[in-house]
Amino acid sequence: MKNKYGIISMVVLMIALVIGIFTITTYSMMYGGLYVLLLFLSGYVVLMRYCRKCPHSMNGSCHHKIPGQLAKKLPYKKTGKYTLYEYVSTIGSMLMVFVLPLTSMDGRYYLLIPYLIIWGTVILMIKTKVCKFCYNRWCLSCPNKVKM
Ligand code: SF4
């Protein structure tokens, strides 16, 4: 099913990532480069550990579109319950991507405030407009889990 908020939330997330890259790069070019590398590594971890096991990537119905398409090109993983390692590595990767730019925003409120607002918007949009149409029942955020 098409969900415009799934795609809009990805575009808004990209804006947050660009602000993050800008913030770190203007602080230190080397750290900026390392952060970009971390973005690619984290992206791979999330796609491989989380999206690859999601039924929406398997059947081409990912609400965010591109993550599902990319995940489907990775080595096969059977849809099913996530392991603790998959949860921890996915959440840890996303946390690092979010937190690291904050370390170089000291006193730069013109970057900090938009950065936090944009991340908040992405999370709110996904929670209120995307998750309810998603049937990745093993996802921690899934409101459509089968009640046992
Ligand atoms: S719906 Fe979510 S978990 Fe599933 S493939 Fe898309 S982005 Fe990944």
Side-chain angles (χ1 to χ4, degrees):
M1 187 215 297
K2 281 193 179 140
N3 183 340
K4 64 180 176 184
Y5 290 102
I7 295 170
I8 294 170
S9 60
M10 284 298 98
V11 174
V12 179
L13 176 65
M14 289 300 147
I15 297 171
L17 298 183
V18 168
I19 294 177
I21 294 169
F22 175 80
T23 304
I24 301 187
T25 307
T26 50
Y27 179 79
S28 154
M29 281 299 278
M30 191 183 78
Y31 288 162
L34 289 173
Y35 182 67
V36 171
L37 191 66
L38 177 92
L39 285 181
F40 281 105
L41 286 174
S42 301
Y44 175 77
V45 169
V46 173
L47 292 175
M48 191 60 207
R49 305 266 178 265
Y50 216 77
C51 295
R52 192 64 185 102
K53 285 177 90 169
C54 169
H56 292 291
S57 81
M58 298 287 183
N59 65 17
S61 63
C62 170
H63 300 282
H64 302 287
K65 199 166 175 184
I66 292 173
Q69 288 175 345
L70 291 174
K72 208 174 175 184
K73 295 185 194 305
L74 295 174
Y76 176 77
K77 268 190 165 183
K78 193 173 186 304
T79 296
K81 194 175 178 180
Y82 293 104
T83 63
L84 182 65
Y85 173 66
E86 285 167 336
Y87 279 134
V88 171
S89 56
T90 300
I91 294 169
S93 298
M94 292 194 294
L95 270 179
M96 274 196 296
V97 166
F98 168 68
V99 168
L100 283 179
L102 296 176
T103 61
S104 46
M105 282 184 185
D106 222 14
R108 295 202 278 175
Y109 297 106
Y110 59 96
L111 290 171
L112 176 66
I113 292 167
Y115 185 72
L116 293 178
I117 290 174
I118 291 171
W119 268 99
T121 306
V122 171
I123 293 167
L124 201 67
M125 205 183 287
I126 292 174
K127 277 302 292 174
T128 60
K129 301 284 186 189
V130 182
C131 286
K132 58 185 171 185
F133 301 111
C134 187
Y135 291 90
N136 184 8
R137 296 183 195 277
W138 300 108
C139 176
L140 287 176
S141 175
C142 186
N144 301 310
K145 286 190 176 75
V146 181
K147 308 273 185 290
M148 301 266 196

